[in-house]
Amino acid sequence: MYLIVIGPPGAGKGTQAKILEQEYGLKQLSTGDMLRAEIAGGTELGKKAKAVMDAGNLVSDEIVVDMISSRIEQPDCAKGVIFDGFPRTVDQAEALDVMLADKGKKIDAVIEFVVDEEALVDRLRNRIQQTIDAGQPVRSDDNEETLRNRLKVYRGQTAPILPYYESTGLLKKIDGMLPIDHVTQAIKAILK
Ligand code: AMP
């Protein structure tokens, strides 16, 4: 099974992707996590991506498409993948279709997290506080200014993907403002 979770930053996609990963034996692939690993590893790619990510803009389609296309070939992706934070542009969505078609596969469902943007700012404040309380480092793009830009980028570059999936009947909307377990139930009902 190949799923996409899509929605603005902080909508809860990663949380749900991790739950679904356990439940369905899928592999969560977060391009954000993969890029942060490149930064942590001090690679050339990481160095290139850092400033773009810190500003809340998108890294190039080519970089993320290459990362995903080699990653989905790994054995831990054999049962399927939950794409989290990818695709983020129409070009990435088209590249993903081609990649999967080459393997004789296709996207099974696209789950859109519908959320109230102002509530996301509150969620971000909570997330930062929880991270600090847990003694962990706060992500360098986790601040209000960058979040506002990431929301703008989402509206401008990522939301235009939605009609692309709607036209093929793959798009399902869920209310991302519900408590975590309710969101999980809503997704499971869609995947039945
Ligand atoms: P995320 O963890 O998904 O919120 O991603 C954090 C940052 O990584 C984003 O704000 C972008 O700068 C970059 N990023 C992650 N995924 C993508 C993608 N599919 N395309 C372009 N940039 C991405």
Side-chain angles (χ1 to χ4, degrees), residues 9-10 13 30-33 35-36 49 52-61 64 67 84-89 92 127 139 141 146 150:
K13 305 183 296 290
S30 153
T31 39
D33 285 348
L35 289 164
R36 282 184 287 278
V52 178
M53 290 170 71
D54 283 351
N57 294 319
L58 296 184
V59 305
S60 77
D61 288 337
V64 288
M67 273 187 347
D84 168 10
F86 177 90
R88 256 179 160 98
T89 63
Q92 290 179 21
R127 188 163 89 185
R139 270 171 54 175
D141 61 350
T146 304
R150 289 162 75 203

Side-chain angles (χ1 to χ4, degrees), residues 40-125:
T43 66
E44 280 309 308
L45 195 159
K47 281 178 198 154
K48 239 202 280 186
K50 182 164 178 17
V52 178
M53 290 170 71
D54 283 351
N57 294 319
L58 296 184
V59 305
S60 77
D61 288 337
E62 198 192 345
I63 287 179
V64 288
V65 167
D66 283 354
M67 273 187 347
I68 287 287
S69 69
S70 50
R71 188 64 186 81
I72 59 173
E73 298 303 331
Q74 302 298 313
D76 59 352
C77 294
K79 281 191 177 169
V81 171
I82 308 163
F83 296 101
D84 168 10
F86 177 90
R88 256 179 160 98
T89 63
V90 173
D91 282 352
Q92 290 179 21
E94 288 172 354
L96 178 60
D97 279 351
V98 171
M99 239 183 261
L100 292 180
D102 283 349
K103 292 161 62 70
K105 310 279 187 201
K106 60 176 181 49
I107 295 293
D108 295 284
V110 179
I111 306 201
E112 181 193 353
F113 287 56
V114 180
V115 287
D116 165 25
E117 285 196 8
E118 277 314 305
L120 295 182
V121 180
D122 290 338
R123 273 194 191 178
L124 174 79
R125 286 198 197 103

